[in-house]
Amino acid sequence: MIRQIIHIDEEKCNGCGICASACHEGAIDIIDGKAKLVRENFCDGFGDCLPGCPTGAITFEEREAPAYDEAAVKASQIKKQEETKMTSNNEMIHTGGCPGSRYMSLENKDDSTAEVDGLVKVSRPVSRLMQWPCQIKLLPTRAPFYDGAKLLIAADCSAYAYANMHEDFMKGKITLIGCPKLDDIDYSEKLTEIIRDNNIKSVTVVRMEVPCCGGLQHAAEMALKNSGKFIPWQVITISRDGQILE
């Protein structure tokens, strides 16, 4: 059938992932750093993905396309909700599933020195991770370690690019890491629940300079907005060579 559907100009697309997050039907994926309309029957043609595109890569077009399949969209949404509950429901994390996903608080020693031969003390790095797990998609939405917490929402790659990640950013914070390019979920929904349903004191986002990290920043900003709370937040961008960009 001939109908209105979106068109993505891959030459203009920077792979930020905002459109994929904005598409509630799940018609768009980020593949090889570019947004692609992978499920034409999931696109309703209303264009919720258009306003947020920073490069103007998305437009409407009239062409031959499968009819919008509302039933398939709803079935997909229900499946994603069930998958999210499986990883975020505290009771399920405690009683079943992978033991490595069970949440716990961690204690870090402040002493960053060690004795050698009982005489000399040398500096050694100390982990500042305060909880487990730390992946956004595995974390529960409610847990004791969120009470009064300062959140660090960080891109996976940032800890590898920035050498002093633990001391400069993770210390004293609950760390949530993710990559919107690799995880096929909408981070904003879970982050909204975490911020809304817990006593969160502040939010720091540490992202890489690459465009796809814009999806992580966007998810955090949407979560702050949708939580209905007004709390301090900041975004810090790390370059590929490990520098903090102003």
Side-chain angles (χ1 to χ4, degrees):
M1 63 180 296
I2 303 295
R3 70 181 183 94
Q4 179 172 278
I5 195 167
I6 66 161
H7 170 73
I8 302 173
D9 186 338
E10 291 190 15
E11 291 187 2
K12 293 182 179 179
C13 176
N14 65 5
C16 70
I18 293 176
C19 59
S21 298
C23 180
H24 303 297
E25 288 74 22
I28 302 173
D29 283 346
I30 305 298
I31 301 174
D32 297 330
K34 298 288 185 179
K36 295 183 184 293
L37 179 60
V38 293
R39 303 171 192 88
E40 293 186 348
N41 62 323
F42 279 30
C43 178
D44 58 14
F46 291 154
D48 287 346
C49 54
L50 269 71
C53 181
T55 64
I58 304 176
T59 56
F60 285 121
E61 65 177 351
E62 293 275 347
R63 64 172 175 83
E64 182 72 29
Y68 172 61
D69 191 340
E70 185 177 3
V73 170
K74 288 184 177 179
S76 177
Q77 290 172 336
I78 291 172
K79 181 180 178 180
K80 285 187 177 181
Q81 289 172 358
E82 290 175 348
E83 290 174 349
T84 300
K85 287 180 181 178
M86 286 292 291
T87 57
S88 64
N89 183 280
N90 294 353
E91 183 64 23
M92 296 190 73
I93 290 174
H94 275 293
T95 60
C98 173
S101 297
R102 295 173 184 170
Y103 76 72
M104 64 181 69
S105 297
L106 303 176
E107 293 186 8
N108 303 137
K109 295 180 179 179
D110 289 333
D111 183 9
S112 60
T113 60
E115 290 189 7
V116 178
D117 296 329
L119 298 174
V120 182
K121 287 190 174 182
V122 295
S123 297
R124 61 181 177 83
V126 175
S127 172
R128 298 302 182 182
L129 186 64
M130 295 180 63
Q131 94 293 337
W132 185 264
C134 55
Q135 285 282 347
I136 296 173
K137 63 181 180 180
L138 297 179
L139 277 158
T141 56
R142 293 190 181 185
F145 50 69
Y146 290 131
D147 186 31
K150 298 177 180 179
L151 294 188
L152 170 65
I153 302 173
D156 286 353
C157 299
S158 61
Y160 295 94
Y162 188 76
N164 213 32
M165 187 74 174
H166 281 252
E167 291 300 321
D168 289 357
F169 296 123
M170 291 174 60
K171 187 176 181 180
K173 297 183 179 69
I174 295 299
T175 301
L176 297 75
I177 66 172
C179 175
K181 192 171 182 178
L182 300 180
D183 290 337
D184 187 22
I185 57 174
D186 183 359
Y187 290 144
S188 64
E189 295 179 6
K190 175 174 277 191
L191 294 177
T192 296
E193 291 185 52
I194 291 173
I195 296 171
R196 182 191 63 212
D197 299 339
N198 297 278
N199 179 27
I200 303 301
K201 297 298 186 183
S202 66
V203 173
T204 299
V205 179
V206 176
R207 55 163 292 181
M208 296 299 296
E209 64 176 329
V210 295
C212 56
C213 263
L216 183 68
Q217 179 179 340
H218 177 72
E221 291 173 350
M222 288 298 296
L224 285 161
K225 178 181 178 181
N226 294 336
S227 71
K229 293 184 176 180
F230 298 92
I231 59 179
W233 68 284
Q234 63 175 327
V235 177
I236 297 167
T237 303
I238 306 297
S239 66
R240 292 177 178 86
D241 61 353
Q243 304 300 311
I244 297 177
L245 301 178
E246 297 297 335

